[in-house]
Amino acid sequence: MTQAPVTTKAARRRHDREIVTLAVPAFGALVAEPLFLMADSAIVGHLGTAQLAGLAIASALLLTAVSVFVFLAYATTATVSRKVGAGDLQGAIRQGVDGVWLAILLGVVVTALTLPTAPALVQLFGASDTAAPHALTYLRISALGIPAMLIVLAATGILRGLQNTKTPLYVAIGGFVANAVFNVVLVYGAGFGIAGSAWGTVIAQWGMATVYGYVVVRGARRHGASLRPDAAGIRASARTGAPLLVRTLSLRLIMIIATAVAARLGDADVAAHQIVLNLWTLLAFALDAIAIAGQAIIGRYLGANDPEGAKAVCRRMVQWGVISGIVLGALVVLTSPLYIPLFSSDSAVRDAALPALIVIAVAQPICGIVFVLDGVLMGAGDGPYLAGAMVITLVAFLPMVLLVPVLDGGLTAVWVAMSLMMVVRMLTLWLRSRSGRWIVTGATR
């Protein structure tokens, strides 16, 4: 009777160590891209308002172009970690190499589409006559870095699948420092203006891709994995990633619709919405770090034919998600009076932002469960279910958010709708996790 609790505690401590070891470096790597944009904004902002406005428009387009392909990281993590769990390191790296080749192909296609359509895309975003030339310059140059960023996503997925989140952290730090240095040198030292900022970012992105390429090639040679493109493997990677693409597009559409509704409430509301959205995104990064650990760990357990281990670590990670959500929610409440003034001195903006921040603070434990279960099901390779669940969530969200301006609900109502959206996500993911249908063991799903 005394042995079971000891075993349970020992297993819990082992799971905790695994989660922390993977999640903490993952969080550092996740904030790299926002830091890139912050550095670019700080440097370009001193060139003038028109340049900064142009950067904002081009960055929004580039982020959308890259973020919809985040499945390159998620799907690769799941497939590679399964192979690792099955003891097939050669197959794991070969699977990851297929993902990198897919990233290269997608990057070339997206860049080829972006360059000729750049003027129309900038115009679609409603850029002013003064901001449009700067947005066009930045977009055309930065588009050359899209293949590099997709390579980074796929290679990051390989390393996460190999249970290595430290290398992506180191590469992210190096990329951030290089980006800042190149931006300063090219913008001010060489006098290239906003074009210098774009070139600095592209150089840093390709530097990161090169480092990842070296790591992947070294790993492939060590374990005897082929580096040649394999059509069947690339198609398999695309099939695995397609449902996650649907999931990501549905989620992006939810965010766009929420922002569009907030924009129709007035300038103060949309400004406050941006403040709240920035914090919500930062909190999401913190919780997503746990989800990334879940992807890697769950895939490994299922690959090792250990369904009970997968269930146990799933339960433990849900506890981590809830506790992390409670802590983050409390921090939001405590720091709101300090956080809001950092972004606006307008009393109307502050008044609109504060109750919305309270709403997202209350919702953080729910968000913690959602992010963890999302990561668990990704690690299990349960992409088709995740795609369907997110489409259902989008359909449920639409009437809630579209009623906000009709009922004169204000910004707080927008974020109540966002929180209810997370409740719907939680229910769909919880039902799947309880069913056990996500548990499919073996080196492949």
Side-chain angles (χ1 to χ4, degrees), residues 74-428:
Y74 292 160
T76 304
T77 298
T79 55
V80 170
S81 61
R82 272 184 178 269
K83 296 283 187 182
V84 170
D88 183 10
L89 285 178
Q90 182 186 72
I93 295 175
R94 175 65 252 186
Q95 194 91 49
V97 169
D98 291 333
V100 172
W101 280 112
L102 177 62
I104 293 171
L105 291 174
L106 290 173
V108 170
V109 170
V110 173
T111 299
L113 292 174
T114 302
L115 290 175
T117 60
L121 292 172
V122 170
Q123 186 178 11
L124 183 65
F125 263 62
S128 66
D129 292 339
T130 54
H134 301 295
L136 187 57
T137 297
Y138 193 93
L139 180 59
R140 279 179 167 164
I141 296 172
S142 293
L144 301 176
I146 291 175
M149 291 311 297
L150 297 191
I151 291 171
V152 167
L153 285 176
T156 300
I158 296 175
L159 294 177
R160 288 174 181 170
L162 294 171
Q163 318 295 295
N164 176 2
T165 56
K166 290 184 179 179
T167 299
L169 173 61
Y170 299 149
V171 175
I173 293 172
F176 170 71
V177 173
N179 178 65
V181 171
F182 281 124
N183 267 257
V184 171
V185 171
L186 295 176
V187 171
Y188 297 117
F192 289 164
I194 194 170
S197 176
W199 280 117
T201 300
V202 168
I203 293 170
Q205 289 168 340
W206 276 106
M208 293 171 67
T210 300
V211 172
Y212 274 120
Y214 170 77
V215 172
V216 172
V217 169
R218 186 180 63 179
R221 288 176 175 170
R222 179 186 303 159
H223 297 287
S226 174
L227 291 168
R228 295 179 179 178
D230 176 63
I234 294 172
R235 286 195 298 270
S237 294
R239 284 195 299 270
T240 301
L244 296 181
L245 176 61
V246 173
R247 166 203 170 274
T248 303
L249 286 173
S250 299
L251 183 57
R252 291 292 297 178
L253 190 55
I254 286 172
M255 305 304 296
I256 291 170
I257 292 170
T259 300
V261 170
R264 283 159 176 76
L265 299 177
D267 290 346
D269 285 293
V270 73
H273 176 74
Q274 188 61 31
I275 294 172
V276 178
L277 183 60
N278 285 340
L279 182 59
W280 190 85
T281 303
L282 180 63
L283 297 172
F285 281 138
L287 296 172
D288 203 28
I290 305 174
I292 287 171
Q295 293 172 32
I297 297 171
I298 290 293
R300 194 187 75 233
Y301 272 101
L302 294 177
N305 292 301
D306 186 0
E308 293 305 317
K311 291 178 184 178
V313 77
C314 176
R315 288 192 295 269
R316 187 56 179 164
M317 294 193 76
V318 169
Q319 294 171 1
W320 268 78
V322 173
I323 294 170
S324 299
I326 292 172
V327 172
L328 291 173
L331 287 174
V332 171
V333 173
L334 293 173
T335 60
S336 291
L338 301 175
Y339 174 78
I340 299 174
L342 293 176
F343 294 89
S344 178
S345 57
D346 188 330
S347 60
V349 173
R350 293 184 181 187
D351 291 343
L354 183 58
L357 285 176
I358 300 302
V359 170
I360 69 168
V362 173
Q364 284 310 296
I366 295 171
C367 294
I369 297 173
V370 168
F371 277 90
V372 166
L373 291 180
D374 201 42
V376 165
L377 296 184
M378 282 186 191
D382 205 13
Y385 181 84
L386 290 171
M390 188 57 74
V391 171
I392 290 172
T393 301
L394 171 60
V395 172
F397 174 71
L398 283 174
M400 293 188 292
V401 75
L402 293 179
L403 280 174
V404 169
V406 175
L407 300 177
D408 196 24
L411 184 65
T412 302
V414 172
W415 281 96
V416 169
M418 287 287 288
S419 298
L420 291 175
M421 177 272 294
M422 295 300 288
V423 171
V424 174
R425 286 188 71 186
M426 181 183 70
L427 290 174
T428 59

